[in-house]
Amino acid sequence: MIDPSLFKKVDIFSELEPAHLDALSRAASVRPYAAGETILREDEPGDLFFVILRGQVKVFVDSEHGREVVLTHLQAGDFFGEMALFDNETRSASVSALTASELVVLRRKD
């Protein structure tokens, strides 16, 4: 089980009661990603939320000229994909691992 305190540090979950944080921890899983591995792609359907346990990732979009535009770098403790929990829209950006990383993953249905 994931440590419930991890979710307490995430803004959208910070006000939850301990029992709800425990439920999130039981529903979540940990996935490893190798450096350079794609985690998600822009315009894909989204139903996963991620918290970085270890490593670094980059969030980027492709320009109209086919160039990669890096929006931000994220590291341990940061999260992404939160909009996937609330809407049925496609991903607005791509994310790939900059270093070997471990991410906590939570599915919308959970």
Side-chain angles (χ1 to χ4, degrees), residues 10-25:
V10 175
D11 292 343
I12 60 175
F13 300 129
S14 64
E15 300 295 320
L16 291 179
E17 299 293 326
H20 294 129
L21 293 171
D22 287 343
L24 286 175
S25 297

Side-chain angles (χ1 to χ4, degrees), residues 22-90:
D22 287 343
L24 286 175
S25 297
R26 286 190 301 276
S29 61
V30 176
R31 291 187 190 173
Y33 290 89
E37 187 174 354
T38 299
I39 298 165
L40 56 90
R41 291 194 186 280
E42 183 177 4
D43 294 327
E44 287 181 338
D47 66 349
L48 301 175
F49 169 77
F50 300 86
V51 180
I52 304 170
L53 275 182
R54 182 179 61 82
Q56 294 181 332
V57 305
K58 67 178 175 181
V59 180
F60 63 96
V61 295
D62 291 323
S63 75
E64 60 188 43
H65 303 294
R67 289 194 160 164
E68 184 179 281
V69 179
V70 176
L71 303 175
T72 192
H73 289 173
L74 302 173
Q75 60 190 0
D78 291 331
F79 61 91
F80 60 94
E82 66 275 11
M83 293 310 298
L85 297 180
F86 305 114
D87 64 25
N88 287 318
E89 299 296 319
T90 58

